[in-house]
Amino acid sequence: MPANTPPLPHKVFTTTNIKSQIPLVLDLERINYDSWRALFIAHYQAHDAIYHVDATHDSPIAKPVDYVWKNVDAIVLMWIYTTMSQTLIQKVLKDKSYARDVRLHLERLFRDNKEAIEMQIDIELRNFTIRASTVTTYYSKIQHLADLL
């Protein structure tokens, strides 16, 4: 490439609608973090942004004070926020956060509470009765709780 050719824009600037790429809404009640995370990891890698959320990957732009790095990180951060439930956004939204900080917060929120969530689902599953539900509704609820476990 000749010296006077401007650099190509970063790949993150090509994504205009993250919800078309990540159709899941991350939610504490759905406990869908593993699926959401798998989709995001693929998306980060495809857009050369994995270093914004995973410290095991080296950043090609090493300084967070760099203008391009900050812009890319802000876009990655918005991808994360855009695919979260309103309740979850309120739990993790902080001023002046980097994408990696929010990703680590989500990891702790979903992984550190895993045993407590499993116990809660197990109790709900054991105590769930048909009551006034239809058989289909009852079966669907039992199946949903079993899938969560």
Side-chain angles (χ1 to χ4, degrees), residues 10-26 36 39-53 71-85 89 92 98-99 102-103 106:
H10 196 282
K11 289 181 182 179
V12 298
F13 297 113
T14 63
T15 299
T16 56
N17 181 5
I18 191 65
K19 289 184 178 185
S20 67
Q21 305 293 315
I22 313 291
L24 296 177
V25 174
L26 183 62
W36 178 88
L39 289 171
F40 254 112
I41 294 294
H43 194 74
Y44 296 142
Q45 287 173 332
H47 287 80
D48 293 332
I50 192 73
Y51 56 88
H52 281 271
V53 293
N71 281 342
V72 170
D73 197 73
I75 289 172
V76 171
L77 190 57
M78 290 310 300
W79 288 347
I80 294 169
Y81 288 146
T82 303
T83 58
M84 291 169 43
S85 69
I89 288 173
V92 300
Y98 290 117
V102 173
R103 204 249 342 137
L106 290 170

Short mmCIF file of all heavy atoms in Angstrom, two decimals, residues 10-26 36 39-53 71-85 89 92 98-99 102-103 106:
data_model
loop_
_atom_site.label_atom_id
_atom_site.label_comp_id
_atom_site.label_asym_id
_atom_site.label_seq_id
_atom_site.Cartn_x
_atom_site.Cartn_y
_atom_site.Cartn_z
N HIS A 10 -11.91 0.38 10.52
CA HIS A 10 -11.99 -0.85 11.31
C HIS A 10 -13.28 -1.60 10.96
O HIS A 10 -14.30 -0.99 10.64
CB HIS A 10 -11.97 -0.50 12.80
CG HIS A 10 -11.66 -1.68 13.67
ND1 HIS A 10 -12.60 -2.62 13.97
CD2 HIS A 10 -10.52 -2.06 14.28
CE1 HIS A 10 -12.06 -3.55 14.74
NE2 HIS A 10 -10.79 -3.22 14.95
N LYS A 11 -13.23 -2.92 11.02
CA LYS A 11 -14.39 -3.75 10.64
C LYS A 11 -15.63 -3.51 11.49
O LYS A 11 -16.75 -3.75 11.04
CB LYS A 11 -14.01 -5.23 10.72
CG LYS A 11 -13.08 -5.68 9.63
CD LYS A 11 -12.79 -7.18 9.78
CE LYS A 11 -11.82 -7.64 8.74
NZ LYS A 11 -11.53 -9.09 8.89
N VAL A 12 -15.47 -3.04 12.74
CA VAL A 12 -16.66 -2.84 13.58
C VAL A 12 -17.59 -1.78 12.99
O VAL A 12 -18.79 -1.80 13.25
CB VAL A 12 -16.31 -2.45 15.04
CG1 VAL A 12 -15.53 -3.54 15.73
CG2 VAL A 12 -15.62 -1.13 15.12
N PHE A 13 -17.05 -0.89 12.18
CA PHE A 13 -17.87 0.17 11.60
C PHE A 13 -18.81 -0.33 10.51
O PHE A 13 -19.65 0.41 10.03
CB PHE A 13 -16.98 1.30 11.06
CG PHE A 13 -16.15 1.97 12.13
CD1 PHE A 13 -14.77 1.84 12.15
CD2 PHE A 13 -16.75 2.71 13.14
CE1 PHE A 13 -14.01 2.44 13.14
CE2 PHE A 13 -16.00 3.31 14.13
CZ PHE A 13 -14.62 3.18 14.13
N THR A 14 -18.67 -1.61 10.12
CA THR A 14 -19.53 -2.18 9.08
C THR A 14 -20.83 -2.74 9.64
O THR A 14 -21.75 -3.03 8.89
CB THR A 14 -18.80 -3.28 8.30
OG1 THR A 14 -18.48 -4.35 9.19
CG2 THR A 14 -17.54 -2.75 7.63
N THR A 15 -20.92 -2.93 10.94
CA THR A 15 -22.14 -3.48 11.56
C THR A 15 -23.06 -2.34 11.92
O THR A 15 -22.75 -1.51 12.77
CB THR A 15 -21.81 -4.31 12.82
OG1 THR A 15 -20.98 -5.40 12.44
CG2 THR A 15 -23.07 -4.83 13.47
N THR A 16 -24.21 -2.31 11.26
CA THR A 16 -25.17 -1.25 11.55
C THR A 16 -26.31 -1.72 12.45
O THR A 16 -26.92 -0.91 13.13
CB THR A 16 -25.77 -0.68 10.24
OG1 THR A 16 -26.35 -1.75 9.51
CG2 THR A 16 -24.69 0.00 9.41
N ASN A 17 -26.59 -3.01 12.44
CA ASN A 17 -27.68 -3.54 13.26
C ASN A 17 -27.21 -4.82 13.94
O ASN A 17 -27.30 -5.90 13.37
CB ASN A 17 -28.92 -3.80 12.41
CG ASN A 17 -30.09 -4.31 13.23
OD1 ASN A 17 -30.03 -4.39 14.45
ND2 ASN A 17 -31.16 -4.67 12.55
N ILE A 18 -26.73 -4.71 15.14
CA ILE A 18 -26.20 -5.87 15.87
C ILE A 18 -27.27 -6.92 16.13
O ILE A 18 -26.99 -8.11 16.17
CB ILE A 18 -25.50 -5.44 17.18
CG1 ILE A 18 -24.71 -6.60 17.80
CG2 ILE A 18 -26.51 -4.89 18.17
CD1 ILE A 18 -23.57 -7.08 17.00
N LYS A 19 -28.52 -6.50 16.27
CA LYS A 19 -29.59 -7.45 16.55
C LYS A 19 -29.84 -8.42 15.40
O LYS A 19 -30.37 -9.50 15.61
CB LYS A 19 -30.86 -6.72 16.94
CG LYS A 19 -30.77 -6.07 18.31
CD LYS A 19 -32.06 -5.44 18.72
CE LYS A 19 -31.91 -4.85 20.10
NZ LYS A 19 -33.15 -4.34 20.62
N SER A 20 -29.44 -8.05 14.20
CA SER A 20 -29.56 -8.99 13.08
C SER A 20 -28.46 -10.05 13.16
O SER A 20 -28.61 -11.14 12.63
CB SER A 20 -29.51 -8.26 11.74
OG SER A 20 -28.22 -7.71 11.54
N GLN A 21 -27.37 -9.73 13.84
CA GLN A 21 -26.27 -10.67 14.01
C GLN A 21 -26.39 -11.47 15.30
O GLN A 21 -26.01 -12.63 15.37
CB GLN A 21 -24.93 -9.91 14.03
CG GLN A 21 -24.69 -9.03 12.83
CD GLN A 21 -24.51 -9.83 11.56
OE1 GLN A 21 -23.79 -10.81 11.54
NE2 GLN A 21 -25.18 -9.41 10.50
N ILE A 22 -26.87 -10.83 16.36
CA ILE A 22 -27.05 -11.44 17.68
C ILE A 22 -28.53 -11.34 18.02
O ILE A 22 -28.97 -10.37 18.64
CB ILE A 22 -26.20 -10.72 18.76
CG1 ILE A 22 -24.77 -10.48 18.31
CG2 ILE A 22 -26.28 -11.47 20.09
CD1 ILE A 22 -23.91 -11.71 18.18
N PRO A 23 -29.34 -12.33 17.63
CA PRO A 23 -30.79 -12.22 17.83
C PRO A 23 -31.26 -12.45 19.26
O PRO A 23 -32.41 -12.22 19.56
CB PRO A 23 -31.35 -13.30 16.89
CG PRO A 23 -30.25 -14.30 16.78
CD PRO A 23 -28.96 -13.53 16.88
N LEU A 24 -30.37 -12.88 20.16
CA LEU A 24 -30.75 -13.13 21.55
C LEU A 24 -30.73 -11.85 22.37
O LEU A 24 -29.89 -10.98 22.15
CB LEU A 24 -29.78 -14.11 22.20
CG LEU A 24 -29.73 -15.52 21.64
CD1 LEU A 24 -28.66 -16.32 22.36
CD2 LEU A 24 -31.06 -16.20 21.75
N VAL A 25 -31.64 -11.77 23.32
CA VAL A 25 -31.63 -10.69 24.30
C VAL A 25 -31.13 -11.32 25.60
O VAL A 25 -31.76 -12.22 26.14
CB VAL A 25 -33.03 -10.07 24.50
CG1 VAL A 25 -33.02 -9.06 25.63
CG2 VAL A 25 -33.51 -9.43 23.21
N LEU A 26 -29.99 -10.86 26.07
CA LEU A 26 -29.41 -11.39 27.29
C LEU A 26 -30.28 -10.98 28.46
O LEU A 26 -30.58 -9.81 28.65
CB LEU A 26 -27.99 -10.88 27.48
CG LEU A 26 -27.23 -11.42 28.68
CD1 LEU A 26 -27.06 -12.93 28.58
CD2 LEU A 26 -25.87 -10.75 28.78
N TRP A 36 -25.62 -16.52 24.26
CA TRP A 36 -25.35 -15.12 23.90
C TRP A 36 -23.84 -14.91 23.74
O TRP A 36 -23.38 -14.31 22.78
CB TRP A 36 -25.93 -14.23 24.98
CG TRP A 36 -25.73 -12.76 24.82
CD1 TRP A 36 -26.54 -11.90 24.13
CD2 TRP A 36 -24.68 -11.96 25.37
NE1 TRP A 36 -26.05 -10.62 24.23
CE2 TRP A 36 -24.90 -10.63 24.99
CE3 TRP A 36 -23.57 -12.25 26.15
CZ2 TRP A 36 -24.05 -9.59 25.35
CZ3 TRP A 36 -22.71 -11.23 26.53
CH2 TRP A 36 -22.96 -9.92 26.13
N LEU A 39 -22.35 -16.48 20.52
CA LEU A 39 -22.62 -15.66 19.33
C LEU A 39 -21.72 -14.42 19.30
O LEU A 39 -21.20 -14.04 18.26
CB LEU A 39 -24.09 -15.22 19.32
CG LEU A 39 -25.11 -16.31 19.01
CD1 LEU A 39 -26.52 -15.78 19.24
CD2 LEU A 39 -24.96 -16.81 17.59
N PHE A 40 -21.54 -13.80 20.47
CA PHE A 40 -20.71 -12.60 20.53
C PHE A 40 -19.24 -12.90 20.26
O PHE A 40 -18.58 -12.13 19.58
CB PHE A 40 -20.87 -11.89 21.88
CG PHE A 40 -21.67 -10.63 21.76
CD1 PHE A 40 -22.91 -10.54 22.33
CD2 PHE A 40 -21.18 -9.54 21.07
CE1 PHE A 40 -23.66 -9.39 22.23
CE2 PHE A 40 -21.92 -8.38 20.96
CZ PHE A 40 -23.17 -8.31 21.53
N ILE A 41 -18.73 -13.99 20.79
CA ILE A 41 -17.32 -14.34 20.54
C ILE A 41 -17.08 -14.47 19.05
O ILE A 41 -16.09 -13.94 18.52
CB ILE A 41 -16.92 -15.64 21.28
CG1 ILE A 41 -16.97 -15.44 22.80
CG2 ILE A 41 -15.56 -16.15 20.83
CD1 ILE A 41 -15.95 -14.47 23.34
N ALA A 42 -17.98 -15.15 18.35
CA ALA A 42 -17.84 -15.28 16.90
C ALA A 42 -17.90 -13.91 16.23
O ALA A 42 -17.12 -13.62 15.30
CB ALA A 42 -18.94 -16.19 16.35
N HIS A 43 -18.80 -13.06 16.70
CA HIS A 43 -18.93 -11.72 16.11
C HIS A 43 -17.69 -10.86 16.38
O HIS A 43 -17.20 -10.18 15.49
CB HIS A 43 -20.19 -11.04 16.66
CG HIS A 43 -20.60 -9.83 15.90
ND1 HIS A 43 -21.18 -9.90 14.66
CD2 HIS A 43 -20.47 -8.52 16.19
CE1 HIS A 43 -21.41 -8.67 14.23
NE2 HIS A 43 -20.99 -7.82 15.14
N TYR A 44 -17.20 -10.91 17.62
CA TYR A 44 -15.97 -10.15 17.95
C TYR A 44 -14.81 -10.59 17.07
O TYR A 44 -14.05 -9.77 16.56
CB TYR A 44 -15.55 -10.38 19.41
CG TYR A 44 -16.50 -9.90 20.47
CD1 TYR A 44 -16.68 -10.65 21.62
CD2 TYR A 44 -17.19 -8.71 20.35
CE1 TYR A 44 -17.52 -10.22 22.64
CE2 TYR A 44 -18.04 -8.28 21.36
CZ TYR A 44 -18.19 -9.04 22.49
OH TYR A 44 -19.03 -8.61 23.49
N GLN A 45 -14.65 -11.91 16.91
CA GLN A 45 -13.54 -12.42 16.12
C GLN A 45 -13.68 -12.02 14.65
O GLN A 45 -12.70 -11.63 14.01
CB GLN A 45 -13.44 -13.94 16.26
CG GLN A 45 -12.92 -14.34 17.62
CD GLN A 45 -12.97 -15.84 17.86
OE1 GLN A 45 -13.80 -16.55 17.31
NE2 GLN A 45 -12.08 -16.31 18.72
N ALA A 46 -14.88 -12.11 14.13
CA ALA A 46 -15.11 -11.76 12.72
C ALA A 46 -14.84 -10.28 12.45
O ALA A 46 -14.50 -9.90 11.33
CB ALA A 46 -16.54 -12.11 12.32
N HIS A 47 -14.97 -9.46 13.48
CA HIS A 47 -14.80 -8.01 13.32
C HIS A 47 -13.50 -7.50 13.95
O HIS A 47 -13.35 -6.30 14.20
CB HIS A 47 -16.01 -7.27 13.90
CG HIS A 47 -17.23 -7.42 13.05
ND1 HIS A 47 -18.01 -8.54 13.08
CD2 HIS A 47 -17.77 -6.59 12.13
CE1 HIS A 47 -18.99 -8.39 12.21
NE2 HIS A 47 -18.87 -7.23 11.63
N ASP A 48 -12.57 -8.40 14.20
CA ASP A 48 -11.27 -8.04 14.77
C ASP A 48 -11.40 -7.18 16.03
O ASP A 48 -10.67 -6.20 16.22
CB ASP A 48 -10.40 -7.29 13.74
CG ASP A 48 -9.98 -8.17 12.59
OD1 ASP A 48 -9.88 -9.40 12.79
OD2 ASP A 48 -9.75 -7.65 11.48
N ALA A 49 -12.33 -7.54 16.90
CA ALA A 49 -12.55 -6.77 18.12
C ALA A 49 -12.46 -7.64 19.37
O ALA A 49 -12.80 -7.18 20.45
CB ALA A 49 -13.91 -6.08 18.05
N ILE A 50 -11.98 -8.85 19.24
CA ILE A 50 -11.92 -9.76 20.38
C ILE A 50 -11.05 -9.20 21.50
O ILE A 50 -11.31 -9.41 22.67
CB ILE A 50 -11.45 -11.18 19.96
CG1 ILE A 50 -11.66 -12.20 21.08
CG2 ILE A 50 -10.01 -11.18 19.49
CD1 ILE A 50 -13.07 -12.59 21.30
N TYR A 51 -10.02 -8.44 21.14
CA TYR A 51 -9.12 -7.88 22.15
C TYR A 51 -9.81 -6.83 23.04
O TYR A 51 -9.28 -6.47 24.08
CB TYR A 51 -7.87 -7.28 21.50
CG TYR A 51 -8.17 -6.25 20.45
CD1 TYR A 51 -8.32 -4.90 20.79
CD2 TYR A 51 -8.31 -6.60 19.11
CE1 TYR A 51 -8.62 -3.95 19.84
CE2 TYR A 51 -8.58 -5.65 18.15
CZ TYR A 51 -8.74 -4.34 18.51
OH TYR A 51 -9.03 -3.39 17.57
N HIS A 52 -10.98 -6.39 22.65
CA HIS A 52 -11.71 -5.43 23.49
C HIS A 52 -12.46 -6.11 24.64
O HIS A 52 -12.85 -5.44 25.59
CB HIS A 52 -12.71 -4.62 22.65
CG HIS A 52 -12.04 -3.53 21.89
ND1 HIS A 52 -11.85 -2.27 22.41
CD2 HIS A 52 -11.48 -3.52 20.65
CE1 HIS A 52 -11.22 -1.53 21.52
NE2 HIS A 52 -10.99 -2.27 20.46
N VAL A 53 -12.64 -7.41 24.54
CA VAL A 53 -13.37 -8.13 25.60
C VAL A 53 -12.58 -9.27 26.22
O VAL A 53 -12.96 -9.78 27.27
CB VAL A 53 -14.72 -8.68 25.07
CG1 VAL A 53 -15.66 -7.54 24.74
CG2 VAL A 53 -14.52 -9.61 23.89
N ASN A 71 -13.01 4.55 19.94
CA ASN A 71 -14.20 4.46 19.10
C ASN A 71 -14.64 3.02 18.89
O ASN A 71 -15.84 2.70 18.98
CB ASN A 71 -13.97 5.12 17.74
CG ASN A 71 -14.07 6.63 17.81
OD1 ASN A 71 -14.62 7.18 18.75
ND2 ASN A 71 -13.51 7.30 16.82
N VAL A 72 -13.69 2.14 18.62
CA VAL A 72 -14.01 0.72 18.44
C VAL A 72 -14.58 0.16 19.75
O VAL A 72 -15.59 -0.56 19.74
CB VAL A 72 -12.77 -0.08 17.98
CG1 VAL A 72 -13.03 -1.57 18.03
CG2 VAL A 72 -12.37 0.36 16.57
N ASP A 73 -13.96 0.49 20.87
CA ASP A 73 -14.45 -0.01 22.15
C ASP A 73 -15.86 0.51 22.43
O ASP A 73 -16.70 -0.24 22.94
CB ASP A 73 -13.50 0.40 23.29
CG ASP A 73 -13.73 -0.43 24.53
OD1 ASP A 73 -13.35 -1.62 24.53
OD2 ASP A 73 -14.32 0.10 25.50
N ALA A 74 -16.15 1.74 22.10
CA ALA A 74 -17.49 2.30 22.32
C ALA A 74 -18.53 1.56 21.48
O ALA A 74 -19.64 1.29 21.95
CB ALA A 74 -17.50 3.79 21.98
N ILE A 75 -18.17 1.20 20.26
CA ILE A 75 -19.09 0.44 19.41
C ILE A 75 -19.33 -0.95 19.98
O ILE A 75 -20.46 -1.42 20.07
CB ILE A 75 -18.58 0.39 17.95
CG1 ILE A 75 -18.71 1.77 17.33
CG2 ILE A 75 -19.34 -0.65 17.14
CD1 ILE A 75 -18.08 1.92 15.98
N VAL A 76 -18.26 -1.62 20.40
CA VAL A 76 -18.38 -2.94 21.01
C VAL A 76 -19.25 -2.85 22.27
O VAL A 76 -20.12 -3.70 22.50
CB VAL A 76 -17.00 -3.56 21.31
CG1 VAL A 76 -17.12 -4.83 22.13
CG2 VAL A 76 -16.24 -3.82 20.01
N LEU A 77 -19.05 -1.84 23.05
CA LEU A 77 -19.85 -1.62 24.26
C LEU A 77 -21.33 -1.44 23.90
O LEU A 77 -22.21 -2.01 24.55
CB LEU A 77 -19.31 -0.40 25.01
CG LEU A 77 -19.84 -0.13 26.40
CD1 LEU A 77 -19.63 -1.32 27.32
CD2 LEU A 77 -19.16 1.10 26.98
N MET A 78 -21.61 -0.68 22.87
CA MET A 78 -22.99 -0.47 22.44
C MET A 78 -23.60 -1.78 21.91
O MET A 78 -24.79 -2.02 22.10
CB MET A 78 -23.08 0.63 21.38
CG MET A 78 -22.79 2.01 21.93
SD MET A 78 -23.73 2.44 23.42
CE MET A 78 -25.40 2.31 22.85
N TRP A 79 -22.80 -2.62 21.24
CA TRP A 79 -23.30 -3.94 20.83
C TRP A 79 -23.79 -4.71 22.04
O TRP A 79 -24.85 -5.32 22.02
CB TRP A 79 -22.20 -4.76 20.16
CG TRP A 79 -21.77 -4.35 18.81
CD1 TRP A 79 -22.38 -3.47 17.95
CD2 TRP A 79 -20.60 -4.82 18.12
NE1 TRP A 79 -21.65 -3.37 16.80
CE2 TRP A 79 -20.56 -4.19 16.86
CE3 TRP A 79 -19.58 -5.70 18.46
CZ2 TRP A 79 -19.56 -4.42 15.94
CZ3 TRP A 79 -18.58 -5.94 17.53
CH2 TRP A 79 -18.57 -5.31 16.29
N ILE A 80 -22.99 -4.69 23.10
CA ILE A 80 -23.34 -5.43 24.31
C ILE A 80 -24.63 -4.87 24.91
O ILE A 80 -25.57 -5.61 25.18
CB ILE A 80 -22.18 -5.38 25.32
CG1 ILE A 80 -20.96 -6.13 24.78
CG2 ILE A 80 -22.62 -5.94 26.67
CD1 ILE A 80 -19.69 -5.92 25.59
N TYR A 81 -24.67 -3.56 25.12
CA TYR A 81 -25.85 -2.94 25.73
C TYR A 81 -27.11 -3.15 24.90
O TYR A 81 -28.20 -3.37 25.44
CB TYR A 81 -25.63 -1.44 25.94
CG TYR A 81 -24.66 -1.09 27.04
CD1 TYR A 81 -23.85 0.03 26.93
CD2 TYR A 81 -24.56 -1.85 28.20
CE1 TYR A 81 -22.96 0.37 27.94
CE2 TYR A 81 -23.66 -1.52 29.21
CZ TYR A 81 -22.88 -0.40 29.07
OH TYR A 81 -22.00 -0.07 30.06
N THR A 82 -26.99 -3.09 23.59
CA THR A 82 -28.14 -3.21 22.70
C THR A 82 -28.77 -4.59 22.75
O THR A 82 -29.94 -4.74 22.43
CB THR A 82 -27.72 -2.87 21.25
OG1 THR A 82 -27.16 -1.56 21.24
CG2 THR A 82 -28.88 -2.91 20.29
N THR A 83 -28.02 -5.60 23.16
CA THR A 83 -28.54 -6.96 23.17
C THR A 83 -28.86 -7.46 24.58
O THR A 83 -28.94 -8.66 24.81
CB THR A 83 -27.55 -7.92 22.49
OG1 THR A 83 -26.30 -7.85 23.19
CG2 THR A 83 -27.35 -7.59 21.03
N MET A 84 -29.06 -6.53 25.50
CA MET A 84 -29.38 -6.89 26.89
C MET A 84 -30.78 -6.42 27.25
O MET A 84 -31.27 -5.44 26.70
CB MET A 84 -28.37 -6.23 27.85
CG MET A 84 -26.98 -6.81 27.74
SD MET A 84 -25.71 -5.87 28.62
CE MET A 84 -26.45 -5.44 30.13
N SER A 85 -31.40 -7.10 28.21
CA SER A 85 -32.71 -6.67 28.71
C SER A 85 -32.52 -5.36 29.49
O SER A 85 -31.43 -5.06 29.97
CB SER A 85 -33.32 -7.73 29.62
OG SER A 85 -32.58 -7.83 30.83
N ILE A 89 -29.36 -4.15 31.84
CA ILE A 89 -28.63 -2.91 31.54
C ILE A 89 -28.50 -2.06 32.81
O ILE A 89 -27.43 -1.53 33.10
CB ILE A 89 -29.33 -2.10 30.43
CG1 ILE A 89 -29.14 -2.79 29.08
CG2 ILE A 89 -28.77 -0.67 30.36
CD1 ILE A 89 -29.92 -2.16 27.95
N VAL A 92 -25.63 -3.27 35.02
CA VAL A 92 -24.23 -3.19 34.58
C VAL A 92 -23.83 -1.84 34.00
O VAL A 92 -22.64 -1.59 33.81
CB VAL A 92 -23.90 -4.30 33.55
CG1 VAL A 92 -24.11 -5.67 34.14
CG2 VAL A 92 -24.67 -4.13 32.26
N TYR A 98 -15.32 0.35 29.95
CA TYR A 98 -14.83 -0.23 28.70
C TYR A 98 -15.59 -1.53 28.46
O TYR A 98 -16.16 -2.12 29.38
CB TYR A 98 -13.33 -0.53 28.79
CG TYR A 98 -12.46 0.71 28.82
CD1 TYR A 98 -11.67 0.99 29.92
CD2 TYR A 98 -12.45 1.59 27.75
CE1 TYR A 98 -10.88 2.13 29.96
CE2 TYR A 98 -11.66 2.73 27.78
CZ TYR A 98 -10.88 2.99 28.88
OH TYR A 98 -10.09 4.12 28.91
N ALA A 99 -15.60 -1.98 27.21
CA ALA A 99 -16.33 -3.20 26.85
C ALA A 99 -15.87 -4.39 27.69
O ALA A 99 -16.68 -5.19 28.14
CB ALA A 99 -16.15 -3.48 25.36
N VAL A 102 -17.45 -4.44 31.19
CA VAL A 102 -18.86 -4.87 31.19
C VAL A 102 -18.93 -6.37 30.94
O VAL A 102 -19.71 -7.08 31.58
CB VAL A 102 -19.67 -4.08 30.14
CG1 VAL A 102 -21.08 -4.65 30.01
CG2 VAL A 102 -19.71 -2.61 30.51
N ARG A 103 -18.12 -6.89 30.03
CA ARG A 103 -18.11 -8.33 29.76
C ARG A 103 -17.73 -9.11 31.01
O ARG A 103 -18.34 -10.12 31.34
CB ARG A 103 -17.16 -8.66 28.61
CG ARG A 103 -17.52 -9.95 27.93
CD ARG A 103 -16.63 -11.14 28.05
NE ARG A 103 -15.29 -10.99 28.47
CZ ARG A 103 -14.73 -11.81 29.36
NH1 ARG A 103 -15.43 -12.76 29.93
NH2 ARG A 103 -13.48 -11.68 29.68
N LEU A 106 -20.64 -9.08 33.45
CA LEU A 106 -21.66 -10.05 33.03
C LEU A 106 -21.23 -11.47 33.36
O LEU A 106 -22.03 -12.29 33.82
CB LEU A 106 -21.94 -9.92 31.53
CG LEU A 106 -22.67 -8.66 31.11
CD1 LEU A 106 -22.67 -8.53 29.59
CD2 LEU A 106 -24.09 -8.65 31.65
#
